[in-house]
C-alpha cells in the first residue's frame, strides 16, 4: 500500500503500526485529561477558598461596625435618660463600649493565632497543606490558572503520524497497489505478493506494469483507482494523453495520479546532493 505522501509500506506492517499508535494516543489523551482535570479541580477549590475568605473578612468588619454603633447608641441613651449624673454615666458607657470592642478584637486575634498554630501541628489536615505559588510576587495560596495550563504538556494529536512524512495518517487513506514482480526461474512477470513453491520463485524486484522494466531509482507514479505502478516516462507517453490506464482501461483524473517516492542508492545521482562545505585543494 502507499500513503498520500508517496511512500510504500507493507500492508501488515503499516496496519499494525496504526493500531499500536492509536492505542498509545488513547493512553496519552487519558493522561492529559486527568492532569487537566486536576488543574480544574484546584481552580474550583481556590475560588471557593477565596469566596469564604472574603465572606469572613466582610463578617468581621460588619461585626466591628455593629459593636461600635451599639456602644455609641448606649452612651447616647444613658445621657438622655440621666442628665443628673452628668459625665460619669457617659464615661461609664463609653468604657463599656470600648471594652466590648477590645474584647471582640482580642477574641478574633486569639482565634487566628490558634488556627495558625493548628496548621503547624496538624500537618495532615487539608487546610494545612502547602499551596503552589503562581509566581515570586504572589502571596501564599494564590493560584494562576493560565500558568498552570501552560505548564501542562501539549495535548496529543488526534491521529497517528506517518512514519516517514510525519503527516496525520488514517487507515482509509492507504492506497492499495498491484505490484508486478519479476520471476527468477522462468523470467516471466508475476503480479501480487512474493511467493514460494508456486511454480517458480520470485526475486522481489518490482517491474513497471506496462514496460516490465525493473524499478529501482527511476521516477515512478501510481494510478490510485487502478493501483497500477509504472515509470513516469511511460505514464507521460501512454497514459497521460488519453487519461486512461494502459493496463486496466479505467479512466482517471489528475488527482488520481500519485508520484511515488523513489528509492535511494549509494550513488550520488540517485538523490539530491547539496554541497554544504567547499574544501579547496592545491593542484
Amino acid at each position: 500500500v502507499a500513503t498520500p505522501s508517496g511512500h510504500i509500506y507493507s500492508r501488515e506492517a503499516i496496519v499494525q503500526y496504526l493500531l499500536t499508535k492509536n492505542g498509545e494516543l488513547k493512553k496519552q489523551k487519558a493522561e492529559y485529561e486527568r492532569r487537566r482535570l486536576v488543574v480544574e479541580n484546584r481552580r474550583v477549590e481556590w475560588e471557593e477558598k477565596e469566596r469564604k475568605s472574603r465572606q469572613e473578612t466582610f463578617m468581621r468588619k460588619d461585626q466591628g461596625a455593629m459593636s461600635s454603633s451599639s456602644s455609641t447608641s448606649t452612651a447616647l441613651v444613658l445621657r438622655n435618660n440621666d442628665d443628673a449624673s452628668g459625665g460619669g454615666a457617659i464615661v461609664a458607657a463609653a468604657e463599656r463600649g470600648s471594652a466590648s470592642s477590645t474584647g471582640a478584637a482580642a477574641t478574633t486575634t486569639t482565634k487566628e493565632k490558634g488556627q495558625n498554630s493548628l496548621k503547624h501541628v496538624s500537618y495532615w489536615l487539608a487546610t494545612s497543606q502547602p499551596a503552589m505559588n503562581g509566581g515570586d510576587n504572589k502571596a501564599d495560596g494564590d493560584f494562576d490558572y493560565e500558568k498552570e495550563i501552560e505548564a501542562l504538556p501539549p495535548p496529543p494529536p488526534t491521529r497517528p503520524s506517518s512514519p516517514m512524512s510525519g503527516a496525520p495518517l488514517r487507515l482509509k487513506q492507504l492506497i492499495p497497489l498491484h505490484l508486478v514482480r519479476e520471476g527468477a526461474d522462468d523470467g516471466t512477470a508475476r503480479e501480487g505478493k512474493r511467493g514460494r513453491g508456486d511454480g517458480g520463485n520470485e526475486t522481489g524486484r518490482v517491474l513497471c506494469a506496462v514496460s516490465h522494466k525493473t524499478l529501482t531509482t527511476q521516477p515512478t507514479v501510481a494510478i490510485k483507482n487502478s493501483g497500477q505502478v509504472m515509470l513516469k516516462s511511460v505514464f507521460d507517453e501512454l497514459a497521460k494523453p488519453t487519461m486512461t490506464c494502459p493496463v486496466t482501461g479505467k479512466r482517471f483524473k489528475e488527482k488520481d495520479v500519485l508520484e511515488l517516492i523513489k528509492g535511494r542508492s549509494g550513488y550520488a545521482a540517485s538523490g539530491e546532493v547539496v554541497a554544504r562545505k567547499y574544501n579547496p585543494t592545491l593542484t
Side-chain angles (χ1 to χ4, degrees):
V1 292
T3 59
S5 61
H7 293 87
I8 300 178
Y9 300 93
S10 170
R11 178 183 293 274
E12 291 80 4
I14 192 64
V15 169
Q16 184 64 32
Y17 167 82
L18 292 177
L19 292 176
T20 304
K21 286 297 181 180
N22 280 326
E24 294 178 359
L25 290 179
K26 287 182 180 179
K27 293 180 181 179
Q28 294 176 6
K29 185 177 181 181
E31 178 65 17
Y32 175 79
E33 293 294 337
R34 185 190 66 81
R35 299 183 65 174
R36 181 69 181 262
L37 184 61
V38 170
V39 176
E40 295 293 341
N41 290 338
R42 288 187 57 200
R43 179 185 182 182
V44 173
E45 292 176 359
W46 178 78
E47 290 178 351
E48 182 66 18
K49 183 179 178 181
E50 287 294 314
R51 187 187 65 81
K52 290 182 179 181
S53 177
R54 290 194 298 267
Q55 184 177 4
E56 291 177 359
T57 304
F58 175 77
M59 293 296 294
R60 286 198 298 267
K61 291 182 179 180
D62 187 58
Q63 289 176 359
M66 291 177 63
S67 62
S68 300
S69 61
S70 62
S71 62
T72 304
S73 61
T74 302
L76 292 175
V77 169
L78 290 175
R79 187 175 61 181
N80 293 331
N81 293 338
D82 194 0
D83 294 334
S85 59
I90 297 176
V91 170
E95 289 179 353
R96 285 196 300 272
S98 62
S100 61
S101 301
T102 305
T107 304
T108 304
T109 305
T110 305
K111 185 178 180 181
E112 292 179 353
K113 289 183 178 179
Q115 290 179 353
N116 292 333
S117 62
L118 183 62
K119 288 183 179 180
H120 292 289
V121 177
S122 304
Y123 54 86
W124 58 84
L125 296 178
T127 56
S128 303
Q129 300 302 317
M132 181 181 297
N133 292 335
D136 296 337
N137 298 328
K138 297 269 185 190
D140 186 17
D142 283 353
F143 179 76
D144 196 334
Y145 178 74
E146 294 182 357
K147 289 187 177 181
E148 291 288 339
I149 292 297
E150 291 177 358
L152 293 176
T158 56
R159 298 191 186 97
S161 59
S162 175
M164 298 299 294
S165 64
L169 182 63
R170 292 185 293 180
L171 187 62
K172 66 178 183 179
Q173 291 179 328
L174 299 179
I175 304 167
L177 300 178
H178 301 284
L179 299 180
V180 179
R181 298 184 181 274
E182 183 182 10
D185 296 338
D186 51 3
T188 58
R190 295 191 174 187
E191 182 177 351
K193 299 180 181 179
R194 181 176 179 177
R196 294 183 180 178
D198 55 352
N201 295 330
E202 299 176 2
T203 62
R205 292 185 296 181
V206 180
L207 305 178
C208 173
V210 181
S211 64
H212 287 186
K213 291 183 180 180
T214 304
L215 302 179
T216 54
T217 60
Q218 309 97 317
T220 310
V221 299
I223 302 176
K224 295 180 181 180
N225 58 354
S226 63
Q228 301 298 326
V229 179
M230 62 192 71
L231 292 171
K232 193 174 186 304
S233 58
V234 176
F235 171 80
D236 293 338
E237 182 180 355
L238 300 178
K240 191 174 182 179
T242 59
M243 300 299 286
T244 304
C245 178
V247 180
T248 61
K250 293 182 179 180
R251 296 189 61 84
F252 60 88
K253 299 180 181 180
E254 190 68 26
K255 64 180 181 179
D256 295 330
V257 180
L258 176 64
E259 186 171 354
L260 301 178
I261 302 298
K262 62 181 181 179
R264 299 289 188 263
S265 68
Y267 296 96
S270 65
E272 296 179 359
V273 180
V274 179
R276 298 181 179 221
K277 184 177 181 181
Y278 173 69
N279 295 324
T281 57
L282 297 177
T283 55

